Amino acid sequence: GAGGMAGAGGMAGSGGMAGAGGMAGSGGMAGSGGMAGAGGMAGAMGAEICKPGMAYGDPLPANRTPKKLRDTGFEGVEGPVWVASANAFFFSDLQRKSNQNWAMASSAKIWKYTPANEMFEVFIAASGSNGLALTNDGKILAATHSNGGLTIYDPADKTKMEVWLPGLNGQPFGSPNDLAVRADGNVYFSDPEWQKPAGRAGQGQRVYRVSPNKMVTTVDTMVSRPNGVSLSPDGNTLYVTDDQKNVWK
């Protein structure tokens, strides 16, 4: 993704960095020290920050071949993130249906894929989630359309720990879409509102920053329908993609 790097055999989603055999997805943590994954490196070989002025070759082998893991049973796959502590890959399935607002379905699930046994399992049913990221202590932080906030899950035991950020000024956000966590604990997320349910006022189409003590500030109000969110490896630049095929920083 924007600012993301993938190593041999790895896959990088919005803003993630992955090493050989590793995967990182929307909002994979990048900041000072810039590695993605719970508590540090992602993948077997890990990822490292590219040094300014250096030339780098193709990070993937010349004979690379993608492997399809599964192509049935999903409706709208989003928000992948690699959790090193679980040695597994997590993602949202928005349960898109032709006759409903595809991202607002409360039946959206969080799936877990374990490479060791190549097994898929429903990790959290009815999560209402889209983008996923890791907190600095290795928990899964989800942008949740269903409640208009950000929700934390424990990857060790499937516990829904808390609705970490329920909204702003007593009102839920419209439809939090994607998010990224910086090494210092600041969280950035997009709220395009175009996936919010009827009757929810929302806060307007914006990109937000949430401090570790949950103080919310607006980063941008000009981007129309902000979508993917990613941080540069040093955590000093925020990248945002929108639904109009633009990339912002």
Side-chain angles (χ1 to χ4, degrees):
M5 300 188 297
M11 298 194 301
S14 45
M17 297 190 296
M23 299 178 233
S26 81
M29 286 189 284
S32 326
M35 305 296 182
M41 298 187 187
M45 294 181 63
E48 61 183 38
I49 299 173
C50 295
K51 296 178 181 178
M54 296 292 290
Y56 296 89
D58 191 333
L60 300 177
N63 61 346
R64 58 187 178 266
T65 302
K67 176 183 177 182
K68 183 180 290 186
L69 300 177
R70 179 169 168 176
D71 59 3
T72 59
F74 304 128
E75 296 288 345
V77 176
E78 287 275 4
V81 66
W82 175 260
V83 180
S85 62
N87 199 29
F89 174 60
F90 295 78
F91 59 93
S92 296
D93 180 14
L94 303 184
Q95 297 293 290
R96 180 175 184 170
K97 304 295 182 184
S98 59
N99 61 346
Q100 68 183 100
N101 187 332
W102 62 274
M104 263 314 304
S106 61
S107 57
K109 301 176 176 68
I110 294 177
W111 284 78
K112 176 183 178 181
Y113 171 70
T114 306
N117 57 17
E118 298 190 339
M119 293 293 294
F120 286 89
E121 61 180 296
V122 175
F123 182 70
I124 300 290
S127 62
S129 61
N130 192 332
L132 306 178
L134 290 179
T135 62
N136 289 340
D137 60 355
K139 303 302 187 293
I140 295 175
L141 183 62
T144 38
H145 295 286
S146 58
N147 59 26
L150 306 181
T151 305
I152 289 182
Y153 297 97
D154 190 335
D157 60 9
K158 305 184 180 183
T159 304
K160 180 178 180 179
M161 299 181 66
E162 62 176 319
V163 179
W164 185 74
L165 185 71
L168 180 64
N169 298 325
Q171 297 294 326
F173 297 99
S175 53
N177 185 286
D178 196 17
L179 68 171
V181 181
R182 203 165 67 180
D184 60 3
N186 281 281
V187 175
Y188 298 83
F189 73 95
S190 58
D191 184 13
E193 287 217 320
W194 49 279
Q195 296 155 331
K196 70 180 181 180
R200 180 181 293 171
Q203 307 281 349
Q205 299 185 63
R206 298 181 180 183
V207 178
Y208 293 97
R209 178 183 68 87
V210 189
S211 70
N213 63 356
K214 300 184 183 180
M215 294 293 293
V216 181
T217 54
T218 300
V219 174
D220 186 89
T221 61
M222 302 299 292
V223 177
S224 177
R225 295 160 70 107
N227 196 339
V229 175
S230 175
L231 286 161
S232 61
D234 63 6
N236 292 328
T237 303
L238 178 68
Y239 294 91
V240 179
T241 60
D242 64 26
D243 197 45
Q244 313 300 314
K245 303 179 181 180
N246 300 308
V247 179
W248 305 80
K249 72 173 184 176

